[in-house]
Amino acid sequence: MPDFIAQWLNQNDIFTAMTMMEYWNGLVNTIQLVFLSLIIGLMCAVPLAILRTMKNPFISGPVWVYTYLFRGTPLLIQLYIIYYGIAQIPGIQDTFWWEIFREPFYPALLAFALNTCAYTTEIIRGAIVSTPAGEIEAAKAYGMNWWMRMRRLILPSAARRAVQAYSNEVIFMLHSSAIASVVTIVDLTGAARNIYSRFYAPFDAFIFVALIYLTLTFILVFAFRKLENHLLKHQRPVGS
């Protein structure tokens, strides 16, 4: 950090160079946790959504149970169960998995990824089943098999319809990441809680974090708006 910025920050009691670095580290942890959970959740949600649309109940049923459980219970409860429950698995502390899950970041990542995967699965499933029947019949008339129809027609078409709903899920996950601080992860909310306990200034600490979340939300909304306009540009009238 440049000296003149550090000097300017140190002129007040709360927003010093040290506290700003603490906020910065919390921001990095928040972005890492949200980004990784969204990537993992999306990668798992696409095949699960396809399985969810199957007519065979032995295939679609387990996926429905999974999405029902994780959409029907609070994320905080899921985080507590995974964070405290993994340590209760017999023998896990003697395996290499304990070296991973003893750190709070990975149980939180697992809980967030499973939660967003459940919601994303239903978003993509809804987009898949809303594919116009005429498009599917036309693909069959061209001789496309099931896999080719899914790869070339149904999934690209579903992605365009799902992007708006998925943007809400991304913003929801960003806001939900604030609960990571309850398992000792110093994210943005955890940094604000530490600064509040140190200076007894709740309004300053938490309002500053709220502004950071608001800025991140604005960036996400802007990015998804651009993506949605790009994916749906073929629907705009010619010359607009």
Side-chain angles (χ1 to χ4, degrees):
M1 180 179 298
D3 292 338
F4 72 93
I5 296 180
Q7 184 178 2
W8 176 74
L9 289 173
N10 288 326
Q11 290 177 356
N12 63 85
D13 295 331
I14 299 175
F15 297 108
T16 63
M18 183 181 66
T19 58
M20 294 305 291
M21 285 303 301
E22 194 165 349
Y23 277 123
W24 171 257
N25 292 332
L27 174 62
V28 171
N29 289 335
T30 296
I31 292 176
Q32 285 181 342
L33 186 60
V34 173
F35 178 77
L36 290 175
S37 62
L38 287 171
I39 292 296
I40 296 171
L42 181 61
M43 291 176 61
C44 296
V46 173
L48 289 177
I50 296 174
L51 296 177
R52 181 77 171 82
T53 61
M54 297 295 182
K55 295 181 179 180
N56 189 335
F58 293 101
I59 297 177
S60 61
V63 181
W64 177 84
V65 171
Y66 157 67
T67 58
Y68 181 81
L69 287 176
F70 278 86
R71 294 168 67 222
T73 54
L75 177 56
L76 180 60
I77 302 301
Q78 298 166 18
L79 177 59
Y80 277 144
I81 291 175
I82 293 175
Y83 179 71
Y84 293 109
I86 287 178
Q88 306 302 319
I89 298 176
I92 192 174
Q93 298 185 13
D94 300 325
T95 66
F96 73 95
W97 289 109
W98 182 245
E99 297 300 322
I100 298 175
F101 285 104
R102 67 186 301 176
E103 300 295 332
F105 181 86
Y106 295 101
L109 176 61
L110 179 60
F112 286 9
L114 290 173
N115 183 272
T116 188
C117 178
Y119 281 93
T120 307
T121 296
E122 291 299 323
I123 291 172
I124 299 175
R125 184 202 67 86
I128 289 175
V129 299
S130 63
T131 303
E135 295 182 5
I136 298 176
E137 292 300 325
K140 290 180 180 179
Y142 269 103
M144 292 185 181
N145 57 29
W146 178 87
W147 170 245
M148 189 175 294
R149 292 196 304 271
M150 186 64 66
R151 182 169 59 90
R152 293 189 176 183
L153 172 66
I154 298 176
L155 285 181
S157 177
R160 290 191 293 268
R161 290 189 295 273
V163 65
Q164 187 173 15
Y166 184 65
S167 67
N168 293 330
E169 170 60 17
V170 172
I171 294 172
F172 171 78
M173 282 305 302
L174 172 64
H175 295 166
S176 299
S177 67
I179 68 173
S181 60
V182 302
V183 291
T184 70
I185 295 177
V186 184
D187 63 338
L188 278 172
T189 305
R193 183 179 289 113
N194 293 341
I195 292 169
Y196 153 61
S197 63
R198 190 181 310 147
F199 296 99
Y200 301 100
F203 288 105
D204 303 78
F206 288 108
I207 288 176
F208 184 71
V209 162
L211 293 175
I212 297 177
Y213 278 116
L214 191 64
T215 302
L216 293 175
T217 301
F218 175 80
I219 294 172
L220 289 173
V221 170
F222 178 80
F224 274 101
R225 183 66 56 84
K226 288 292 184 181
L227 177 61
E228 186 177 358
N229 291 338
H230 174 72
L231 293 176
L232 301 179
K233 63 181 179 181
H234 65 283
Q235 297 182 353
R236 293 198 299 266
V238 178
S240 63

